[in-house]
Amino acid sequence: MGLDEIDTPYTAIDLARLQTNLERHRLRCQTQAIAFRPHAKTHKIPELAKLQLEHGAIGITLATIGEAEVFVDAGIDDIFLAYPLWLTPHKADRLGALTKNARITIGVDSVASLENSAQTLGATSVEFMIEIDSGHHRSGTSPNDVLAIAQALADHGLTFAGVFTYPGHSYNPEVKDQASIDEVEALTTACDALESAGFEVKVKSGGSTPSSQTTSDYLSETRAGVYTLGDAQQLELGTCGLDDIALSVITTVVSKRGDTVIVDAGSKIMAADKAPWATGHGRVLANIDARITAMSEHHATVVYPDEHSAPALGELIQVVPNHVCNAVNLVDQVAVIEDGGIVQWWSVAARGKNS
């Protein structure tokens, strides 16, 4: 099926580029001597997660119990929920149900949240990773405060699997490479304290797509996720090239004046993310110099270097969202493109599974 046989706008994944990205990441992690457990909240697509496993992933990372339910139903049996959870009895029951078919690990960053998990879960095979703050300052305990959490896990007879961090400040271009140093320093401090107290740290988990080139082999696994598809943020951070970006939104030029065109894709399919350092609201796959300069709900303004390079009215172009994770979450399915045509559709099965 040709790209012009589907009404625009719609979201598409270039299969060849995706496969190249998966293999590149596998080889990079192999060279770095680090296992990888990619964050599948980036795409929320079981078929894509299975491709990641085929390319060597040891499991996947997710954000919510709802996402885990979707992926376990799809046959994926090793999942890490990389955030602290505050469990209600119902959420605890849902986690318990998942453990019948998968190894489930969750994050914890305080004694209070651990006590909550112990009370609601009771005897459980759910494993726990202690989250360390390495500079992103979202969730995570200080690396100097890990012993109390580890001891609480031991006191309750719960399984301590290791430590993890998220160097989210790698999304700041001024400190992108420093983030890899920060995560090693924080994890080292935490692990030294734990091991000195007699706790075995089996897993040291971290990483992000912007810091993937500088991730240290002190880590035992990386959880980068955006590497699969790429986006305009990664392009501007220097993490990928334009030819590496596998996901785009197919859209039609509906208005034109000089070097500026209006397309029928806006924030309701591309999302509205724009980092302070971003040069626009998105990019154009076929023209490195074009920028999306304004975004409405259903339309976007794209400025080209000159009138000659701007596409004609009615022409299809492929635009690149700034943040792929949010863009994928706005659609029910994505077209899979191979050799210039649509060969199948993948359901964004975990879309909207926010709890």
Side-chain angles (χ1 to χ4, degrees), residues 1-12 249-252 264 269 314-317 333-337 340-345:
M1 178 180 292
L3 302 187
D4 59 355
E5 295 181 61
I6 302 295
D7 291 341
T8 61
Y10 61 92
T11 301
V249 173
I250 313 295
T251 182
T252 302
D264 63 356
I269 191 167
E315 190 172 337
L316 296 189
I317 65 171
Q333 59 183 354
V334 298
V336 180
I337 298 174
I342 298 171
V343 294
Q344 59 181 307
W345 292 85

Side-chain angles (χ1 to χ4, degrees), residues 83-354:
Y83 302 90
L85 301 179
W86 192 267
L87 297 177
T88 62
H90 183 240
K91 284 187 174 182
D93 289 344
R94 291 166 66 197
L95 273 180
L98 288 172
T99 62
K100 297 175 182 179
N101 296 299
R103 178 191 178 207
I104 302 295
T105 307
I106 67 174
V108 61
D109 71 348
S110 70
V111 172
S113 64
L114 187 278
E115 295 286 349
N116 163 259
S117 293
Q119 181 179 358
T120 53
L121 286 169
T124 182
S125 63
V126 172
E127 301 179 28
F128 292 82
M129 296 269 286
I130 299 176
E131 183 176 16
I132 311 300
D133 180 10
S134 60
H136 186 44
H137 305 318
R138 186 175 62 184
S139 52
T141 189
S142 163
N144 297 307
D145 295 334
V146 294
L147 286 181
I149 302 172
Q151 188 59 55
L153 282 164
D155 292 344
H156 285 286
L158 298 171
T159 301
F160 169 52
V163 295
F164 76 104
T165 190
Y166 174 55
H169 50 311
S170 61
Y171 277 80
N172 181 337
E174 295 182 1
V175 296
K176 178 166 68 80
D177 294 336
Q178 180 64 38
S180 292
I181 298 172
D182 293 344
E183 73 175 345
V184 169
E185 290 179 349
L187 291 178
T188 298
T189 299
C191 290
D192 286 350
L194 289 163
E195 291 168 348
S196 294
F199 293 99
E200 181 183 6
V201 183
K202 296 179 181 179
V203 179
K204 303 167 187 173
S205 178
S208 68
T209 297
S211 63
S212 59
Q213 299 292 342
T214 54
T215 300
S216 167
D217 62 4
Y218 180 79
L219 274 64
S220 60
E221 70 175 31
T222 175
R223 303 189 313 279
V226 178
Y227 75 89
T228 52
L229 301 172
D231 57 23
Q233 286 188 149
Q234 300 303 325
L235 178 66
E236 298 200 355
L237 286 167
T239 307
C240 69
L242 200 62
D243 292 340
D244 301 320
I245 296 174
L247 182 136
S248 65
V249 173
I250 313 295
T251 182
T252 302
V253 176
V254 296
S255 180
K256 180 178 182 179
R257 55 185 183 278
D259 61 0
T260 301
V261 302
I262 308 299
V263 296
D264 63 356
S267 62
K268 287 193 171 180
I269 191 167
M270 294 182 64
D273 294 44
K274 184 177 183 293
W277 43 262
T279 63
H281 293 268
R283 303 292 286 269
V284 177
L285 203 56
N287 192 313
I288 190 68
D289 296 316
R291 295 288 190 284
I292 298 176
T293 60
M295 183 88 76
S296 304
E297 291 185 24
H298 293 287
H299 298 87
T301 302
V302 187
V303 177
Y304 282 79
D306 51 60
E307 183 176 358
H308 176 72
S309 60
L313 278 168
E315 190 172 337
L316 296 189
I317 65 171
Q318 293 174 257
V319 291
V320 181
N322 272 340
H323 189 183
V324 67
C325 305
N326 284 350
V328 172
N329 195 46
L330 293 173
V331 296
D332 294 323
Q333 59 183 354
V334 298
V336 180
I337 298 174
E338 189 172 20
D339 297 327
I342 298 171
V343 294
Q344 59 181 307
W345 292 85
W346 284 343
S347 171
V348 186
R351 180 191 182 201
K353 303 297 183 180
N354 296 319

